[in-house]
Amino acid sequence: MARFLFALLVAAAALGAASSFARADLQQGINAYYDGNYAAALEKLKPEADAGDIIAQYFLGEMYLHGKGVDQDFAQAVAWYSRAAQHGHPQAQAALGSLQMLGLGGPQDTTNGYFWLIVSVVWTNSDLRQDAMSALGQVAVQLSPDQKNAMARAALPEWKRTQ
């Protein structure tokens, strides 16, 4: 039994070390992005994004949206934002909603775009909520009352999860 506990502790320590290395790579990737070293950012962020890190996924969406270190590719931006948005990254949700509203990276989808903007308002911290609300207001004028009601009902479970 003591050997089992020792092995468990060693495994936990190894996992913790691997996790801190992964977080270090993520931070190095973010720092490289902000420093304008997009090749290094891509090298550090891509494995993290592939492994499911929503922050890395968001940054890859940004890189593809703006063509920073990669060819500008709206479809790739939508794909990365979508992965992060589905796991609760509010800026990715807002970006995804905006791209869908504009029809960039795929067919124009005002209803789904509106949904993601509503969800981003729910998840966004107070510093970003005003911008999200403004974008939501600009989108709302393009939808019928029935469409807005349907999207608000669809977003309700997300809102309940945050309460």
Side-chain angles (χ1 to χ4, degrees):
M1 181 66 161
R3 280 187 174 168
F4 173 76
L5 289 175
F6 178 74
L8 188 60
L9 288 173
V10 169
L15 286 174
S19 175
S20 64
F21 286 130
R23 298 309 293 179
D25 283 350
L26 175 65
Q27 190 59 55
Q28 289 171 359
I30 292 169
N31 292 344
Y33 176 88
Y34 285 122
D35 289 342
N37 186 350
Y38 302 117
L42 185 62
E43 179 184 327
K44 294 292 186 181
L45 293 173
K46 179 78 167 64
E48 298 300 317
D50 287 337
D53 187 287
I54 66 172
I55 296 169
Q57 291 167 350
Y58 167 75
F59 275 96
L60 285 181
E62 288 288 288
M63 291 175 76
Y64 279 103
L65 177 65
H66 301 290
K68 293 183 175 183
V70 294
D71 290 335
Q72 186 176 43
D73 185 334
F74 295 125
Q76 280 294 311
V78 165
W80 286 113
Y81 285 142
S82 181
R83 289 173 72 178
Q86 292 172 14
H87 292 97
H89 193 285
Q91 290 91 348
Q93 292 165 341
L96 177 61
S98 297
L99 289 173
Q100 289 178 332
M101 292 295 303
L102 296 169
L104 296 174
Q108 186 174 19
D109 187 346
T110 53
T111 304
N112 205 40
Y114 187 70
F115 168 80
W116 281 115
L117 287 171
I118 289 173
V119 172
S120 77
V121 168
V122 169
W123 283 96
T124 301
N125 66 37
S126 60
D127 294 340
L128 301 173
R129 185 165 280 135
Q130 187 59 42
D131 290 340
M133 289 295 288
S134 175
L136 190 57
Q138 292 172 16
V139 169
V141 299
Q142 299 178 36
L143 300 174
S144 72
D146 288 342
Q147 288 173 311
K148 288 186 269 192
N149 287 335
M151 287 299 97
R153 281 192 302 278
L156 186 59
E158 291 292 329
W159 177 79
K160 286 183 178 180
R161 282 190 335 156
T162 65
Q163 300 306 307

